Short mmCIF file of all heavy atoms in Angstrom, two decimals:
data_model
loop_
_atom_site.label_atom_id
_atom_site.label_comp_id
_atom_site.label_asym_id
_atom_site.label_seq_id
_atom_site.Cartn_x
_atom_site.Cartn_y
_atom_site.Cartn_z
N ASP A 815 -103.74 78.06 -107.92
CA ASP A 815 -102.44 78.03 -107.21
C ASP A 815 -102.32 76.77 -106.37
O ASP A 815 -101.29 76.15 -106.33
CB ASP A 815 -102.33 79.30 -106.33
CG ASP A 815 -101.02 79.33 -105.62
OD1 ASP A 815 -99.94 79.46 -106.26
OD2 ASP A 815 -100.98 79.25 -104.40
N ARG A 816 -103.50 76.39 -105.65
CA ARG A 816 -103.46 75.14 -104.89
C ARG A 816 -103.21 73.94 -105.76
O ARG A 816 -102.45 73.05 -105.42
CB ARG A 816 -104.82 75.03 -104.13
CG ARG A 816 -104.92 75.98 -102.93
CD ARG A 816 -106.04 75.48 -102.00
NE ARG A 816 -107.31 75.35 -102.68
CZ ARG A 816 -108.23 76.30 -102.83
NH1 ARG A 816 -108.02 77.52 -102.29
NH2 ARG A 816 -109.39 76.05 -103.49
N ASN A 817 -103.88 73.96 -106.93
CA ASN A 817 -103.70 72.80 -107.82
C ASN A 817 -102.30 72.69 -108.35
O ASN A 817 -101.70 71.60 -108.42
CB ASN A 817 -104.65 72.92 -109.04
CG ASN A 817 -106.10 72.77 -108.62
OD1 ASN A 817 -106.39 72.09 -107.60
ND2 ASN A 817 -107.03 73.26 -109.41
N VAL A 818 -101.68 73.84 -108.63
CA VAL A 818 -100.30 73.84 -109.11
C VAL A 818 -99.40 73.32 -107.96
O VAL A 818 -98.48 72.53 -108.19
CB VAL A 818 -99.88 75.25 -109.57
CG1 VAL A 818 -98.40 75.25 -109.79
CG2 VAL A 818 -100.65 75.60 -110.84
N ARG A 819 -99.60 73.79 -106.76
CA ARG A 819 -98.80 73.29 -105.60
C ARG A 819 -98.97 71.79 -105.44
O ARG A 819 -98.01 71.05 -105.10
CB ARG A 819 -99.16 74.04 -104.35
CG ARG A 819 -98.84 75.55 -104.39
CD ARG A 819 -99.22 76.26 -103.12
NE ARG A 819 -98.93 77.66 -103.17
CZ ARG A 819 -97.71 78.18 -102.91
NH1 ARG A 819 -96.75 77.40 -102.53
NH2 ARG A 819 -97.53 79.51 -103.01
N ARG A 820 -100.26 71.32 -105.59
CA ARG A 820 -100.50 69.90 -105.46
C ARG A 820 -99.75 69.13 -106.56
O ARG A 820 -99.15 68.05 -106.25
CB ARG A 820 -102.05 69.65 -105.57
CG ARG A 820 -102.42 68.22 -105.17
CD ARG A 820 -103.95 68.08 -105.20
NE ARG A 820 -104.62 68.95 -104.26
CZ ARG A 820 -105.42 69.92 -104.58
NH1 ARG A 820 -105.70 70.20 -105.83
NH2 ARG A 820 -105.98 70.65 -103.65
N LEU A 821 -99.75 69.66 -107.79
CA LEU A 821 -99.01 69.00 -108.83
C LEU A 821 -97.48 69.04 -108.54
O LEU A 821 -96.82 68.02 -108.80
CB LEU A 821 -99.29 69.74 -110.16
CG LEU A 821 -98.58 69.16 -111.39
CD1 LEU A 821 -98.89 67.70 -111.63
CD2 LEU A 821 -98.94 69.98 -112.64
N GLU A 822 -97.02 70.09 -108.03
CA GLU A 822 -95.63 70.13 -107.64
C GLU A 822 -95.29 69.07 -106.62
O GLU A 822 -94.23 68.40 -106.71
CB GLU A 822 -95.27 71.50 -107.11
CG GLU A 822 -95.24 72.66 -108.14
CD GLU A 822 -94.95 73.96 -107.51
OE1 GLU A 822 -94.93 74.12 -106.27
OE2 GLU A 822 -94.71 74.95 -108.32
N ARG A 823 -96.13 68.91 -105.58
CA ARG A 823 -95.87 67.88 -104.59
C ARG A 823 -95.88 66.52 -105.16
O ARG A 823 -95.04 65.64 -104.86
CB ARG A 823 -96.88 68.00 -103.44
CG ARG A 823 -96.69 69.21 -102.55
CD ARG A 823 -97.54 69.06 -101.28
NE ARG A 823 -98.95 69.07 -101.54
CZ ARG A 823 -99.70 70.15 -101.64
NH1 ARG A 823 -99.19 71.36 -101.44
NH2 ARG A 823 -101.01 70.06 -101.89
N ALA A 824 -96.85 66.28 -106.12
CA ALA A 824 -96.92 64.93 -106.77
C ALA A 824 -95.65 64.66 -107.58
O ALA A 824 -95.09 63.58 -107.56
CB ALA A 824 -98.15 64.89 -107.68
N LEU A 825 -95.21 65.68 -108.28
CA LEU A 825 -93.98 65.50 -109.09
C LEU A 825 -92.76 65.28 -108.17
O LEU A 825 -91.92 64.44 -108.47
CB LEU A 825 -93.75 66.73 -109.96
CG LEU A 825 -94.72 66.96 -111.08
CD1 LEU A 825 -94.41 68.28 -111.80
CD2 LEU A 825 -94.73 65.78 -112.05
N THR A 826 -92.74 65.96 -107.05
CA THR A 826 -91.65 65.79 -106.08
C THR A 826 -91.64 64.41 -105.49
O THR A 826 -90.58 63.73 -105.38
CB THR A 826 -91.72 66.82 -104.97
OG1 THR A 826 -91.70 68.18 -105.53
CG2 THR A 826 -90.59 66.70 -103.99
N GLN A 827 -92.84 63.87 -105.18
CA GLN A 827 -92.91 62.52 -104.67
C GLN A 827 -92.50 61.48 -105.67
O GLN A 827 -91.75 60.53 -105.35
CB GLN A 827 -94.36 62.24 -104.22
CG GLN A 827 -94.80 63.07 -102.96
CD GLN A 827 -96.27 62.92 -102.69
OE1 GLN A 827 -97.01 62.20 -103.38
NE2 GLN A 827 -96.73 63.61 -101.66
N ARG A 828 -92.87 61.68 -106.92
CA ARG A 828 -92.45 60.71 -107.97
C ARG A 828 -90.94 60.76 -108.18
O ARG A 828 -90.31 59.72 -108.41
CB ARG A 828 -93.19 60.99 -109.29
CG ARG A 828 -94.62 60.58 -109.24
CD ARG A 828 -95.26 60.77 -110.64
NE ARG A 828 -96.64 60.31 -110.64
CZ ARG A 828 -96.99 59.00 -110.89
NH1 ARG A 828 -96.03 58.17 -111.09
NH2 ARG A 828 -98.22 58.66 -110.86
N ASN A 829 -90.39 61.95 -108.13
CA ASN A 829 -88.94 62.06 -108.28
C ASN A 829 -88.23 61.36 -107.13
O ASN A 829 -87.24 60.66 -107.32
CB ASN A 829 -88.55 63.52 -108.33
CG ASN A 829 -88.92 64.21 -109.63
OD1 ASN A 829 -89.07 63.50 -110.63
ND2 ASN A 829 -89.09 65.49 -109.59
N ALA A 830 -88.76 61.54 -105.91
CA ALA A 830 -88.19 60.92 -104.76
C ALA A 830 -88.26 59.40 -104.76
O ALA A 830 -87.40 58.68 -104.31
CB ALA A 830 -88.82 61.46 -103.42
N ALA A 831 -89.36 58.86 -105.42
CA ALA A 831 -89.62 57.44 -105.53
C ALA A 831 -88.80 56.82 -106.64
O ALA A 831 -88.94 55.64 -106.91
CB ALA A 831 -91.10 57.15 -105.68
N GLY A 832 -88.04 57.58 -107.36
CA GLY A 832 -87.28 57.03 -108.47
C GLY A 832 -88.02 56.89 -109.74
O GLY A 832 -87.62 56.15 -110.67
N ASP A 833 -89.13 57.53 -109.86
CA ASP A 833 -89.99 57.45 -111.03
C ASP A 833 -90.21 58.87 -111.58
O ASP A 833 -91.28 59.44 -111.47
CB ASP A 833 -91.34 56.81 -110.72
CG ASP A 833 -92.11 56.49 -111.95
OD1 ASP A 833 -91.48 56.48 -113.03
OD2 ASP A 833 -93.29 56.19 -111.84
N PRO A 834 -89.13 59.53 -112.10
CA PRO A 834 -89.22 60.97 -112.42
C PRO A 834 -90.12 61.26 -113.62
O PRO A 834 -90.30 60.42 -114.48
CB PRO A 834 -87.76 61.33 -112.75
CG PRO A 834 -87.12 60.03 -113.28
CD PRO A 834 -87.82 58.94 -112.48
N VAL A 835 -90.62 62.46 -113.62
CA VAL A 835 -91.39 62.96 -114.74
C VAL A 835 -90.47 63.84 -115.57
O VAL A 835 -89.86 64.75 -115.06
CB VAL A 835 -92.61 63.78 -114.29
CG1 VAL A 835 -93.38 64.39 -115.48
CG2 VAL A 835 -93.55 62.89 -113.45
N ILE A 836 -90.37 63.50 -116.84
CA ILE A 836 -89.45 64.19 -117.73
C ILE A 836 -90.18 64.98 -118.76
O ILE A 836 -91.14 64.49 -119.39
CB ILE A 836 -88.53 63.19 -118.43
CG1 ILE A 836 -87.74 62.33 -117.39
CG2 ILE A 836 -87.49 63.88 -119.33
CD1 ILE A 836 -86.98 63.08 -116.43
N ILE A 837 -89.80 66.22 -118.96
CA ILE A 837 -90.36 67.04 -120.04
C ILE A 837 -89.36 67.06 -121.18
O ILE A 837 -88.28 67.50 -121.01
CB ILE A 837 -90.60 68.48 -119.54
CG1 ILE A 837 -91.60 68.48 -118.37
CG2 ILE A 837 -91.16 69.35 -120.64
CD1 ILE A 837 -91.86 69.82 -117.76
N GLU A 838 -89.75 66.49 -122.27
CA GLU A 838 -88.88 66.41 -123.42
C GLU A 838 -88.69 67.79 -124.08
O GLU A 838 -89.67 68.49 -124.26
CB GLU A 838 -89.37 65.37 -124.46
CG GLU A 838 -89.33 63.96 -123.97
CD GLU A 838 -89.77 62.99 -125.05
OE1 GLU A 838 -90.34 63.49 -126.07
OE2 GLU A 838 -89.55 61.80 -124.88
N ALA A 839 -87.43 68.05 -124.51
CA ALA A 839 -87.20 69.28 -125.25
C ALA A 839 -87.71 69.16 -126.66
O ALA A 839 -87.65 68.08 -127.27
CB ALA A 839 -85.70 69.58 -125.25
N ASP A 840 -88.19 70.27 -127.24
CA ASP A 840 -88.71 70.25 -128.62
C ASP A 840 -87.51 70.10 -129.55
O ASP A 840 -86.57 70.88 -129.53
CB ASP A 840 -89.41 71.60 -128.84
CG ASP A 840 -90.13 71.58 -130.17
OD1 ASP A 840 -89.81 70.73 -131.03
OD2 ASP A 840 -91.02 72.40 -130.38
N PRO A 841 -87.53 69.03 -130.43
CA PRO A 841 -86.40 68.92 -131.35
C PRO A 841 -86.12 70.13 -132.22
O PRO A 841 -84.95 70.43 -132.53
CB PRO A 841 -86.82 67.72 -132.23
CG PRO A 841 -87.83 66.94 -131.37
CD PRO A 841 -88.55 68.02 -130.58
N GLU A 842 -87.19 70.80 -132.61
CA GLU A 842 -86.97 72.01 -133.41
C GLU A 842 -86.23 73.09 -132.62
O GLU A 842 -85.39 73.78 -133.14
CB GLU A 842 -88.30 72.55 -133.91
CG GLU A 842 -89.04 71.62 -134.90
CD GLU A 842 -90.26 72.24 -135.46
OE1 GLU A 842 -90.60 73.37 -134.99
OE2 GLU A 842 -90.93 71.59 -136.26
N VAL A 843 -86.57 73.21 -131.33
CA VAL A 843 -85.88 74.18 -130.48
C VAL A 843 -84.42 73.80 -130.32
O VAL A 843 -83.50 74.62 -130.39
CB VAL A 843 -86.56 74.30 -129.13
CG1 VAL A 843 -85.78 75.24 -128.18
CG2 VAL A 843 -87.97 74.82 -129.31
N VAL A 844 -84.19 72.49 -130.13
CA VAL A 844 -82.80 72.01 -129.98
C VAL A 844 -82.00 72.33 -131.23
O VAL A 844 -80.83 72.82 -131.19
CB VAL A 844 -82.77 70.49 -129.68
CG1 VAL A 844 -81.32 69.99 -129.70
CG2 VAL A 844 -83.44 70.22 -128.31
N ALA A 845 -82.62 72.02 -132.40
CA ALA A 845 -81.93 72.29 -133.67
C ALA A 845 -81.65 73.81 -133.82
O ALA A 845 -80.61 74.25 -134.30
CB ALA A 845 -82.75 71.74 -134.83
N LEU A 846 -82.66 74.62 -133.45
CA LEU A 846 -82.50 76.04 -133.57
C LEU A 846 -81.43 76.51 -132.67
O LEU A 846 -80.60 77.39 -133.05
CB LEU A 846 -83.87 76.74 -133.22
CG LEU A 846 -83.82 78.28 -133.34
CD1 LEU A 846 -83.48 78.71 -134.77
CD2 LEU A 846 -85.17 78.83 -132.93
#
């Protein structure tokens, strides 16, 4: 849980710095 929270804070900081982390959608899911 601490590691996940730490990862969340890191992602939040990158987003705030203008360097967002993007999770790409699966093309097969999009097609479906």
Side-chain angles (χ1 to χ4, degrees):
D815 182 66
R816 287 198 302 272
N817 291 337
V818 170
R819 293 180 183 277
R820 192 177 297 116
L821 179 58
E822 290 178 349
R823 288 195 296 271
L825 292 177
T826 302
Q827 292 172 1
R828 286 185 177 275
N829 288 335
D833 191 15
V835 176
I836 304 303
I837 300 177
E838 293 184 347
D840 190 339
E842 294 183 359
V843 174
V844 174
L846 181 59

